[in-house]
Amino acid sequence: MDYKRLTIRGISYSQTQSGAYALLLEHEETNIKLPIVIGNFEAQSISLGLEKDIHPPRPLTHDLFSKFVTAAHFEISSVIIYQIIDGVFFSNINFKNKDSGEEMILDARTSDAVAMAVRFEAAIYTTQQVLSEAGILLELDDLSKQEETIDQMAGEGDLVALNLEELQKLLDDAVKDEDFDSALEIQEELKRRKKKID
């Protein structure tokens, strides 16, 4: 299968879900962004994994599992985000034994898989289908300069009442503000309309 490589672009606090964060992954070739809502603990663990110089006084769960994987003479070769169902991402962690070359695949929550990938500097991949379903393309030059925010516009009426141009503006603003939960809702409305046209 032709997998698409992703890079971590950042983690931000979710403006719509209390206590949640948005992990932003990006496809290197097309710049399509893949926003994934994750919990506070996972966001902290991924951030600490990315910051190699910061070491917590006691090992986090992902650090402990990383030590176990290394002690068992395995390494993580890659992480694959292979599916999205009802907004939930599904991932596999691919392990390889350093001695025998034996390969092993474990199902994992995407946030855990990414937290492990950063500790082993393993590649993160996804499928074209996942990118098509959940990806957001952000063109920085085309961002609208109007001052209305997504919350203000959405508060004036339901997304269904807006035209395509207004929805696209809302989507651009949501991505700019890193409000990925709202961006996903708007993108679903855009996809629903495109299906009707097709």
Side-chain angles (χ1 to χ4, degrees):
M1 184 175 278
D2 182 25
Y3 290 117
K4 310 298 181 185
R5 185 161 183 162
L6 302 172
T7 55
I8 298 173
R9 282 290 173 238
I11 299 173
S12 65
Y13 188 74
S14 175
Q15 298 174 7
T16 57
Q17 278 188 265
S18 179
Y21 288 79
L23 167 66
L24 188 63
L25 302 174
E26 182 181 62
H27 181 228
E28 296 174 332
E29 295 173 15
T30 62
N31 297 325
I32 292 176
K33 313 289 190 294
L34 194 63
I36 301 172
V37 177
I38 61 175
N40 179 40
F41 173 75
E42 292 80 8
Q44 179 186 31
S45 184
I46 292 169
S47 295
L48 287 172
L50 289 169
E51 298 293 331
K52 304 295 184 190
D53 298 334
I54 301 174
H55 302 287
R58 302 293 299 142
L60 300 175
T61 304
H62 297 111
D63 297 324
L64 182 64
F65 188 56
S66 295
K67 288 181 181 177
F68 175 78
V69 169
T70 302
H73 297 273
F74 276 86
E75 62 184 358
I76 294 178
S77 55
S78 65
V79 161
I80 299 177
I81 304 168
Y82 64 90
Q83 186 172 288
I84 179 172
I85 300 176
D86 297 329
V88 178
F89 292 89
F90 291 79
S91 299
N92 284 331
I93 302 176
N94 298 317
F95 297 88
K96 187 171 186 176
N97 187 290
K98 295 177 188 177
D99 300 330
S100 67
E102 173 192 359
E103 295 183 358
M104 179 174 58
I105 300 172
L106 292 180
D107 182 45
R109 295 186 311 165
T110 299
S111 55
D112 292 328
V114 172
M116 293 300 297
V118 296
R119 283 163 172 76
F120 285 86
E121 298 180 357
I124 302 169
Y125 297 99
T126 192
T127 64
Q128 183 58 52
Q129 183 178 356
V130 170
L131 277 179
S132 298
E133 287 183 34
I136 297 173
L137 183 59
L138 173 61
E139 295 291 342
L140 294 175
D141 295 337
D142 296 337
L143 283 176
S144 172
K145 294 182 181 177
Q146 297 176 17
E147 294 185 0
E148 294 175 303
T149 66
I150 183 162
D151 292 332
Q152 291 168 334
M153 287 186 74
E156 292 171 6
D158 194 17
L159 293 178
V160 178
L162 301 175
N163 65 35
L164 288 175
E165 188 176 310
E166 291 169 328
L167 283 173
Q168 188 61 52
K169 187 246 181 288
L170 280 179
L171 180 61
D172 292 345
D173 286 348
V175 174
K176 180 182 177 185
D177 295 338
E178 297 182 349
D179 182 3
F180 300 115
D181 295 330
S182 297
L184 284 173
E185 288 178 28
I186 297 163
Q187 190 174 44
E188 287 302 315
E189 176 63 21
L190 285 167
K191 285 181 182 176
R192 187 184 65 77
R193 292 188 189 188
K194 285 178 184 173
K195 281 182 184 174
K196 279 187 176 180
I197 294 170
D198 295 343

